[in-house]
């Protein structure tokens, strides 16, 4: 089962969203674009700007935690 680390970007919010999933990226993006109460539900212009594939959830989640620990917009932009 392939899992993914991914980064989304919203022009409206001028914000990045960093996450991981074991669903297909198309399915996951549809969930982010749906009207829901979460952070990405605030707008529907999220675009996938980066992705990495991992053989399991552990690797994808570890990568998400590492990138989030940077706490730097500049570093996120250069991935």
């Amino acid at each position: 089962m392939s899992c993914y680390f991914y980064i989304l970007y919203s022009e409206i919010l001028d914000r990045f969203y960093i996450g991981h999933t074991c669903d297909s990226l198309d399915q996951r993006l549809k969930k982010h674009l749906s009207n829901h109460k979460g952070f990405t539900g605030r707008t529907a212009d999220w675009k996938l700007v980066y992705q990495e594939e991992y053989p399991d959830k552990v690797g994808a989640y570890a990568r998400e935690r590492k990138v989030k620990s940077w706490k730097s917009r500049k570093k996120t932009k250069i991935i």
Side-chain angles (χ1 to χ4, degrees):
M1 165 177 63
S2 290
C3 295
Y4 302 91
F5 158 75
Y6 63 93
I7 300 176
L8 305 178
Y9 178 72
S10 165
E11 286 187 30
I12 292 171
L13 298 175
D14 192 26
R15 299 285 304 263
F16 289 97
Y17 176 87
I18 299 167
H20 76 282
T21 187
C22 291
D23 294 336
S24 76
L25 287 172
D26 287 339
Q27 284 179 310
R28 189 65 183 121
L29 184 57
K30 285 179 185 176
K31 289 179 185 176
H32 283 299
L33 294 174
S34 69
N35 187 10
H36 64 281
K37 291 186 179 189
F39 175 75
T40 59
R42 294 171 27 190
T43 185
D45 76 327
W46 294 100
K47 294 195 179 11
L48 182 66
V49 294
Y50 186 80
Q51 69 186 44
E52 293 176 0
E53 186 173 351
Y54 289 86
D56 57 31
K57 185 174 183 167
V58 173
Y61 182 64
R63 180 67 165 149
E64 176 187 348
R65 300 306 310 157
K66 180 172 183 131
V67 172
K68 284 183 174 180
S69 75
W70 294 346
K71 298 196 184 295
S72 170
R73 183 179 175 90
K74 288 180 185 177
K75 286 184 181 179
T76 302
K77 281 186 175 183
I78 62 168
I79 287 185

